Amino acid sequence: MSIPAHRSVLPRTYLPPGAGLRVDGDSMLRRLAEISRFGASPGPGITRTGLSTEENAARDYLAGQCRADGLVARTDQAGNLVIRRAGADPTRPVVLIGSHIDTVGNGGRLDGTYGVMAAHEVLRVLARHDVELAAEPVAIAFTNEEGAHFPYPFLGSLAIVGKVNTGYASTITDRDGRSLRDALDAAGGDLDRIGDAAWPSGSIAGYIELHIEQGPILENRDVPIGVVEAISGRSILDITVRGSQGHAGTTPMSLRKDALVVAARVVLAVERLATARGLCSVSTVGYLKPDPNVTNVIPGAVALTAELRDGRTERLRAAEQALLTDLAQLGTATETFIEVDLRRVTHPVRTDERISRLIAEAADGLGLSHLTMPSGAGHDAQIVAEATPIGMIFVPSKRGISHAPQEDTEDDHLIAGANTLLHTVLRLAGEEQR
């Protein structure tokens, strides 16, 4: 997708590849540390789930920093924080940059948040230097990407592409019974008007997301910049095994229909999809709850979730079907009833070759080595891909750890990633002026 030319607007400043413009790394790191206080645990972990009081406070903090920098920040109907330069021309196409600021429970300080704070810094630098470009850079902090508290992940990015199922969203509550609708209202959004958060077709010329890798590849290879070529798709299977509840002391082993024993076999079947059978990249059971979960009672039912991920749609579908077949056979063999609800959360997405090339050029111009690689995690970028070409930049994660309090990245790598984002924006937003 080419950025439309706006030749009637003469550039006041254009910095070609190799120019000396850089982010203020100290400022970015300071603000990253400050926003990490919202939702911080007594230890190193952070719990700032989407549409929580903590996420709202973090969004308010960032909006205040934007105002102090002379930028304009507003919260849209989906709870996204949208940041523009003052006086930005609303008729120009937009180069969107950003990520999310919500976390998983007891998560890390960088996942998503780093990309948002780097995008804010890029916008601040461009505003301070009064850089005029063919497309207008706009930063965004998407809400509820993780779906850790309200189970509607990617709510903010789905909203900007007009894909929120408001009927389903209206039924969602947290474990305390609070509705997503009420939480969105408290965040400054409005579920009844969430359609207004969608961006007009053709208004976004491209989207670039900077993120920590969340895996070990870049660190192991001592490469500071990853150029993402594809983002894995994700399927979730909500599984319920129903057996027969009974007395743990008086029911003979031969007469039992132990739902937890069968669930254990389900867990192993899920693991084999990605290991022995190689049908998908990774497969995980991350939630399991037996009922009644009492020491001296044979469980009568078990609820669990299986999550499958892969970068190719056909492989993901094959893994889903294989597991469904396995579970049907297991239920028959054990005389238990196994219910499955398949939810396809995201589809695999390839990044745009042109934007990936510009990321590589930006890294080269900064003297940073780079590696083309896939993303095993899901990101807002794969949702935004429905509306515009996307690109993603990775920086190394220490020991590959993420979604955990130990999540960390070297400061130099954080700054290098932000500079790569800056120079990619200059290339993409300024292409028509070369």
Side-chain angles (χ1 to χ4, degrees):
M1 175 180 178
S2 297
I3 298 174
H6 291 264
R7 302 192 186 281
S8 61
V9 179
L10 296 177
R12 293 190 296 272
T13 305
Y14 175 65
L15 298 171
L21 198 63
R22 299 290 186 273
V23 301
D24 183 338
D26 289 340
S27 176
M28 182 188 71
L29 294 175
R30 174 180 58 79
R31 286 170 164 168
L32 183 56
E34 289 174 353
I35 200 170
S36 298
R37 298 170 186 166
F38 298 98
S41 305
I46 296 175
T47 299
R48 189 170 61 238
T49 54
L51 301 175
S52 65
T53 301
E54 293 79 11
E55 190 197 35
N56 293 344
R59 187 186 302 107
D60 290 345
Y61 161 81
L62 179 54
Q65 294 298 301
C66 292
R67 287 191 291 270
D69 293 330
L71 303 172
V72 178
R74 68 174 181 88
T75 299
D76 70 10
Q77 294 84 355
N80 300 316
L81 186 68
V82 182
I83 308 165
R84 295 176 180 265
R85 296 188 290 180
D89 184 348
T91 66
R92 288 181 182 168
V94 163
V95 170
L96 199 60
I97 54 177
S99 193
H100 61 96
I101 59 172
D102 63 311
T103 73
V104 297
N106 199 34
R109 68 186 182 93
L110 298 174
D111 177 2
T113 308
Y114 160 58
V116 171
M117 303 313 289
H120 167 229
E121 172 61 19
V122 166
L123 214 60
R124 190 181 71 86
V125 169
L126 295 176
R128 186 179 65 195
H129 289 269
D130 200 22
V131 179
E132 190 70 56
L133 297 164
E136 183 62 32
V138 174
I140 190 165
F142 290 113
T143 193
N144 204 46
E145 189 264 4
E146 300 286 2
H149 189 74
F150 289 98
Y152 203 134
F154 302 109
L155 177 67
S157 48
L158 284 166
I160 75 160
V161 299
K163 296 291 185 178
V164 173
N165 182 334
T166 53
Y168 173 64
S170 296
T171 69
I172 292 176
T173 61
D174 64 14
R175 293 180 182 178
D176 297 322
R178 188 187 189 203
S179 69
L180 183 150
R181 175 185 297 277
D182 288 345
L184 185 57
D185 285 345
D190 184 342
L191 188 58
D192 292 328
R193 297 180 56 237
I194 202 166
D196 294 342
W199 289 53
S201 177
S203 62
I204 306 174
Y207 173 68
I208 310 166
E209 184 166 355
L210 172 62
H211 209 280
I212 58 171
E213 180 196 340
Q214 301 181 280
I217 295 173
L218 290 174
E219 183 180 60
N220 287 348
R221 298 198 185 186
D222 195 26
V223 176
I225 298 295
V227 182
V228 177
E229 61 182 349
I231 306 172
S232 291
R234 178 186 178 208
S235 295
I236 293 177
L237 295 92
D238 294 308
I239 302 166
T240 303
V241 180
R242 300 191 187 280
S244 296
Q245 184 174 326
H247 195 293
T250 62
T251 308
M253 299 298 288
S254 61
L255 298 181
R256 297 186 181 200
K257 295 180 182 178
D258 188 327
L260 186 54
V261 170
V262 177
R265 294 174 64 177
V266 173
V267 173
L268 294 175
V270 171
E271 181 190 39
R272 285 195 296 271
L273 291 174
T275 54
R277 302 175 71 179
L279 296 177
C280 55
S281 296
V282 292
S283 53
T284 308
V285 171
Y287 172 82
L288 187 147
K289 183 181 180 182
D291 181 44
N293 202 21
V294 175
T295 301
N296 61 347
V297 178
I298 300 166
V302 176
L304 64 153
T305 61
E307 183 192 82
L308 316 180
R309 301 194 189 211
D310 199 87
R312 291 168 53 190
T313 300
E314 63 272 20
R315 280 171 51 83
L316 201 53
R317 299 293 92 86
E320 293 167 1
Q321 188 56 53
L323 183 58
L324 291 172
T325 300
D326 288 349
L327 298 185
Q329 293 173 349
L330 180 60
T332 300
T334 58
E335 297 182 354
T336 58
F337 185 63
I338 303 178
E339 301 172 355
V340 184
D341 180 19
L342 171 62
R343 292 184 284 130
R344 290 170 178 161
V345 180
T346 53
H347 300 288
V349 170
R350 295 198 66 83
T351 56
D352 180 69
E353 291 183 4
R354 180 173 63 102
I355 295 179
S356 294
R357 172 177 53 80
L358 295 177
I359 294 169
E361 288 178 2
D364 286 337
L366 293 163
L368 300 168
S369 60
H370 51 85
L371 176 71
T372 300
M373 61 187 299
S375 170
H379 300 283
D380 287 303
Q382 68 195 119
I383 305 299
V384 182
E386 295 197 29
T388 191
I390 62 164
M392 283 201 73
I393 305 166
F394 275 172
V395 295
S397 293
K398 286 187 178 180
R399 301 179 301 283
I401 296 173
S402 184
H403 280 193
Q406 297 78 22
E407 177 182 276
D408 201 8
T409 294
E410 296 286 354
D411 287 352
D412 287 350
H413 288 153
L414 296 175
I415 295 169
N419 278 318
T420 302
L421 176 64
L422 169 62
H423 281 262
T424 304
V425 169
L426 287 171
R427 284 166 166 77
L428 180 59
E431 274 198 332
E432 295 300 324
Q433 294 178 3
R434 289 193 191 183

